[in-house]
Amino acid sequence: MEDSVLLAAVTVLGVLEQAYFSLQVIYARRKYSVSPPATVGPPEFERVFRAQANCSEYFPIFITVLWTSGLFFSQGLSAVCGLLYLYGRFQYFNGYSQSALGRLAPLYFSAKVLWVLIGFSCVGVLLSLAKVYLNVDLVDQLYSALYLI
Amino acid sequence: MEDSVLLAAVTVLGVLEQAYFSLQVIYARRKYSVSPPATVGPPEFERVFRAQANCSEYFPIFITVLWTSGLFFSQGLSAVCGLLYLYGRFQYFNGYSQSALGRLAPLYFSAKVLWVLIGFSCVGVLLSLAKVYLNVDLVDQLYSALYLI
Amino acid sequence: MEDSVLLAAVTVLGVLEQAYFSLQVIYARRKYSVSPPATVGPPEFERVFRAQANCSEYFPIFITVLWTSGLFFSQGLSAVCGLLYLYGRFQYFNGYSQSALGRLAPLYFSAKVLWVLIGFSCVGVLLSLAKVYLNVDLVDQLYSALYLI
């Protein structure tokens, strides 16, 4: 529990953010009279629709790397990155709703944060693989090497 | 194992349901002669296509809150909600396949069940945060308060 | 950690594969001048777009059955299936990018691997349900039965 409650908190925030985006698409459908199953309409509607679709597409990848990074590398650092990612996605959604150009800066930001989480996951998994299958504790050896210097 | 086997059972059912929806899209593609990569065609096809797309979009959110709620709040209640959600999604898919209007009642139902799971997750995570970081067992205190009355 | 590090390794590889697919869509958008939010363009672009959309749609299902199968049935077998699935998806993406027909063989292959993981998950969950709720260890009984023969 202690090892994952911050990850769970960020996860719940992420779900609430997705719910907010979904509601915005429903409002945009009403405002621009685009009834389901149509997904094509005025650019204002299509931008909101694509913004939500893009966030939904990345949601499972985000949750996956948040938990891999949090459980195999560091819960605290992963939770902080998770909050930054959700903030970036909020900015992205609002920016994209206003103009196609407005999505770019927050998109690059949230992509960078996602790469940091992917990097943490890689390091954490490689350290665990070394520990479990080679019986080598690389973190321990690094500390020992630092003490010798 | 004991703490999660019901969640895993609901998860496997959910995956089987998604597989069923995917097969229906393949059948609809053949029936209405809409070859990939096209996703536009007669309304009958587009409704099946959108129904599956919507269920797929919500699948990761559903799995995420099912497990957060199940591990941090209550496995039994979460599994029951999970079954209700999957039933709602089945009705939604069938309703939407027949008419755009037919999707509404089951969509509202499954959205409500999802909100219950989100609520359970919030409560569970907040209680765990209080326990881990404030060293306060709110459930315990609630029981004590009830005994005093 | 020991029970899940291989699953985490396959998960990270899967995330990297999805990142690679996303980059290909960005390159295709530039090459065929299809600016967001548009998703319609020449067939060459639409095939790359749909290939990535299809892989993204199956990613959460894949991760879900990979972990259910790995935690409730066998980590090693699930990790091997996971690698095969990711290989199949890579072939699918490249095949689909070249022609709609080129997607079929690797699609069938990755679907078969997914069904194997779903089968493993079902067996694993049913065995765990029997153990937890019926107090029956079916694996143990099977071994005993084999010894008697």
Side-chain angles (χ1 to χ4, degrees), chain A residues 43 46-47 50 57-58 60-61 64-65 68 71-72 96 100 103 108 115 118 121-122 124-125 128-129 131-133, chain C residues 1-2 4-6 8-9 11-12 15-16 18-19 22-23 29 36-39 49 52 56 59-60 63 67 75:
Chain A
E46 290 195 4
R47 286 203 308 271
R50 283 301 306 159
E57 198 180 294
Y58 280 87
I61 293 174
T64 301
V65 290
T68 311
L71 294 178
F72 288 86
Y96 203 172
R103 83 187 194 289
Y108 294 150
W115 277 112
I118 293 174
S121 302
C122 287
V125 167
S128 296
L129 282 173
K131 212 188 254 174
V132 172
Y133 293 99
Chain C
M1 213 67 122
E2 227 170 298
S4 64
V5 66
L6 291 180
T11 298
V12 171
V15 167
L16 291 173
Q18 284 300 119
S22 293
L23 288 174
R29 279 195 177 279
T39 60
F49 181 81
Q52 193 264 347
S56 289
F59 180 75
I63 295 293
W67 283 81
Q75 186 187 203

Side-chain angles (χ1 to χ4, degrees), chain A residues 1-2 4-6 8-9 11-12 15-16 18-19 22-23 29 36-39 49 52 56 59-60 63 67 75, chain B residues 43 46-47 50 57-58 60-61 64-65 68 71-72 96 100 103 108 115 118 121-122 124-125 128-129 131-133:
Chain A
M1 213 68 120
E2 227 169 297
S4 64
V5 66
L6 291 179
T11 298
V12 171
V15 168
L16 291 173
Q18 285 299 121
S22 293
L23 287 174
R29 279 194 177 281
T39 60
F49 181 81
Q52 192 265 347
S56 289
F59 180 75
I63 295 294
W67 283 82
Q75 185 187 202
Chain B
E46 289 195 4
R47 286 203 307 271
R50 284 299 309 158
E57 198 180 292
Y58 279 87
I61 293 175
T64 301
V65 290
T68 312
L71 294 179
F72 288 86
Y96 204 172
R103 83 188 193 286
Y108 294 150
W115 277 112
I118 293 174
S121 302
C122 287
V125 167
S128 296
L129 282 173
K131 211 187 254 173
V132 172
Y133 293 99

